[in-house]
Amino acid sequence: MRTAPTGCLSLLMFGLVLALPFVLADAFLTALTKLGLGPLSALGVAVGIFVGGAINIPVARVQQAERVEYRPTRLLGLHRFLGRPVRHRAYTVVAVNVGGCLIPTVLAGYQVARMALEASAALGALGIALGLNVGLCYSFATPVPRRGIAMQPLIPALAAALSETVYECSLSSASRRTTNRSIAA
């Protein structure tokens, strides 16, 4: 029985690894277009999220009782090549990430405004789902000293799925009440 040489399998795996970012980017763009954005707008939002992920806007400085260790070359693993300079500072900078916070918040605001114009009856159900999602994530988030705020990675996804279920149930019960009122009239 003849088998394929191992070089072919490794070449196939290498090709799949190279194709993975394109598949994920296509899925991301498809999700953005399903949110009601045009293809060019979806591309602009996607590029904004990716590029904005490297931009942090400082919001506040929190003074610390002890000096905090800061390694400026840890970005992208550069500390392995450039040495390990350590700076000590007496404050922590609280910053907002453009690609991870500001652009998604603007996108969510756009979706709420669009929903308010197209289906204003769904805003109550949206508020319930939003409150549930925020409450669950807030209750599971824990501050980690010298790192930030940590949360188990599946909690936001499970909270979003639960919120979507509550939203759909609220929306379907509201549409049934509206249908029953129109039949009775």
Side-chain angles (χ1 to χ4, degrees), residues 59-80:
V59 176
R61 282 187 181 190
V62 178
Q63 296 297 325
Q64 300 292 329
E66 61 185 50
R67 297 183 70 78
V68 180
E69 192 175 273
Y70 170 63
R71 298 177 189 267
T73 58
R74 284 197 60 95
L75 179 67
L76 302 175
L78 295 176
H79 65 285
R80 295 182 207 139

Side-chain angles (χ1 to χ4, degrees), residues 72-92:
T73 58
R74 284 197 60 95
L75 179 67
L76 302 175
L78 295 176
H79 65 285
R80 295 182 207 139
F81 305 110
L82 301 176
R84 298 175 186 224
V86 176
R87 296 181 190 160
H88 295 280
R89 56 185 184 192
Y91 60 89
T92 299

Side-chain angles (χ1 to χ4, degrees), residues 6 12 19 34 38 40 57 59 62 67 78 82 90 93 105 108 114 119-120 139 145 150 154 158 161 163 172 175:
T6 57
L12 177 68
K34 286 186 177 187
L40 197 56
I57 299 174
V59 176
V62 178
R67 297 183 70 78
L78 295 176
L82 301 176
V93 176
T105 301
R114 196 175 125 215
S120 59
S139 65
L154 290 178
L158 293 173
S163 297
S172 65
S175 68

Side-chain angles (χ1 to χ4, degrees), residues 173-185:
S173 67
S175 68
R176 272 190 249 125
R177 283 193 302 261
T178 305
T179 306
N180 290 342
R181 283 186 204 145
S182 64
I183 292 173

Side-chain angles (χ1 to χ4, degrees), residues 1 9 41 44 49 75 101 104 108 125 132 135 144 156 164 172 181:
M1 174 181 229
L9 181 61
S41 299
I49 287 173
L75 179 67
C101 180
L132 178 67
V144 177
E164 192 273 336
S172 65
R181 283 186 204 145

Side-chain angles (χ1 to χ4, degrees), residues 111-153:
Q111 291 298 318
V112 170
R114 196 175 125 215
M115 185 179 289
L117 291 174
E118 293 176 5
S120 59
L123 288 179
L126 177 67
I128 292 169
L130 178 67
L132 178 67
N133 196 342
V134 169
L136 282 171
C137 288
Y138 181 79
S139 65
F140 281 101
T142 55
V144 177
R146 298 181 185 191
R147 291 288 179 206
I149 298 173
M151 187 181 338
Q152 294 294 326

